[in-house]
């Protein structure tokens, strides 16, 4: 748990969940462009709208092996490693109805702007796709994780750093159980629901229903700005 690597650790892939001591839970992640800071609340990589409402070319049902989908890239160059463990979902119907979702096993083909990508997924499509179909193609929430921004939430919370994973390396973050998390200067007491930052990057704050912030757990200690407090994490 307390190491990082330029390749996946052992047999684990990005997003895999394991239990640790005392009911703790952990997710295998790929760090983004900056090293992770221990005790910081983390977020998935920022939304990239180039991978929403994407065009496809006709794709047939594959009953004899791995299903591949023919998707036209936007204007952003992609890498196979970045999208492994991500998802493809039907956004606009075209042969197949909206709502169908597939896990990405790999991406090949032309990965540059406007290229014809070949995306391998975990199961066969139910009905052959037509060119009127559009898809959303998303990275795994645990691929390219970053420090949670100070104010504007641009993704979902994915865990707390327990080790300073280097930029672009793989390792583990904590998502469940008792952990130590950076606190901001808000006023909250033991037992308060905690949410994503409202002013200090990587720090938890008091959670208020109806806001744009996500709930991540419960405080076991009063707020203490610039300190790591004990938190019962409930992200998973």
């Amino acid at each position: 748990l307390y190491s990082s690597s330029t390749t996946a650790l052992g047999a684990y892939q990005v997003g895999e969940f394991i239990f640790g001591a005392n009911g703790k839970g952990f997710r295998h992640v790929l760090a983004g462009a900056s090293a992770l800071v221990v005790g910081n609340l983390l977020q998935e990589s920022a939304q990239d709208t180039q991978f929403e409402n994407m065009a496809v070319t006709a794709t047939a049902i594959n009953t004899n092996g791995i299903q591949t989908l023919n998707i036209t890239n936007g204007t952003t160059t992609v890498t196979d490693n970045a999208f492994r463990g991500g998802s493809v979902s039907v956004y606009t119907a075209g042969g197949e109805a909206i709502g169908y979702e597939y896990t990405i096993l790999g991406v090949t083909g032309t990965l540059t702007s406007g290229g014809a990508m070949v995306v391998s997924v975990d199961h066969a499509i139910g009905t052959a796709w037509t060119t009127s179909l559009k898809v959303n193609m998303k990275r795994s929430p645990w691929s390219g994780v970053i420090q949670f921004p100070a104010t504007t939430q641009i993704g979902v919370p994915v865990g707390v750093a327990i080790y300073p994973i280097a930029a672009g390396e793989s390792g583990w973050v904590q998502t469940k159980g008792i952990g130590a998390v950076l606190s901001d200067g808000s006023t909250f007491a033991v037992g308060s629901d905690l949410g994503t930052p409202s002013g200090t990057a990587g720090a938890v704050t008091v959670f208020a229903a109806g806001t744009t912030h996500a709930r991540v757990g419960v405080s076991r200690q009063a707020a203490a700005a610039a300190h790591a407090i004990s938190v019962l994490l409930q992200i998973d």
Side-chain angles (χ1 to χ4, degrees):
L1 290 174
Y2 302 95
S3 63
S4 66
S5 173
T6 55
T7 58
L9 295 171
Y12 295 103
Q13 300 300 315
V14 65
E16 289 202 57
F17 176 85
I18 62 170
F19 280 106
N22 200 29
K24 295 178 180 179
F26 304 89
R27 289 275 187 176
H28 196 248
V29 303
L30 175 68
S34 298
L36 305 184
V37 177
V38 174
N40 271 201
L41 184 67
L42 306 172
Q43 181 202 268
E44 66 176 323
S45 61
Q47 179 190 28
D48 189 339
T49 57
Q50 290 297 321
F51 300 103
E52 297 174 358
N53 196 25
M54 302 175 75
V56 303
T57 56
T59 296
I61 299 172
N62 187 339
T63 58
N64 300 313
I66 294 176
Q67 178 72 56
T68 56
L69 310 175
N70 304 315
I71 302 174
T72 303
N73 194 7
T75 61
T76 305
T77 298
V78 306
T79 65
D80 171 51
N81 188 49
F83 275 89
R84 284 182 179 269
S87 69
V88 172
S89 58
V90 179
Y91 181 71
T92 301
E96 192 158 53
I98 63 171
Y100 282 89
E101 187 270 342
Y102 305 86
T103 296
I104 297 172
L105 303 180
V107 185
T108 58
T110 305
L111 306 185
T112 53
S113 175
M117 299 186 296
V118 180
V119 181
S120 300
V121 295
D122 63 325
H123 62 280
I125 58 178
T127 307
W129 288 3
T130 68
T131 54
S132 63
L133 186 142
K134 298 292 189 293
V135 298
N136 289 333
M137 183 172 163
K138 294 286 191 178
R139 294 182 71 170
S140 164
W142 300 280
S143 175
V145 302
I146 60 174
Q147 179 190 58
F148 215 104
T151 54
T152 304
Q153 184 169 307
I154 51 176
V156 300
V158 295
V160 172
I162 59 170
Y163 182 83
I165 301 172
E169 292 196 358
S170 296
W172 295 93
V173 301
Q174 187 177 353
T175 62
K176 181 180 178 65
I178 304 303
V181 190
L182 180 66
S183 169
D184 72 3
S186 302
T187 300
F188 58 81
V190 174
S192 297
D193 279 346
L194 298 178
T196 53
S198 63
T200 303
V204 291
T205 191
V206 63
F207 173 74
T211 67
T212 58
H213 299 280
R215 183 181 178 278
V216 298
V218 181
S219 174
R220 302 180 66 235
Q221 187 175 350
H227 295 280
I229 63 171
S230 182
V231 172
L232 175 61
L233 289 170
Q234 297 172 328
I235 297 172
D236 270 323

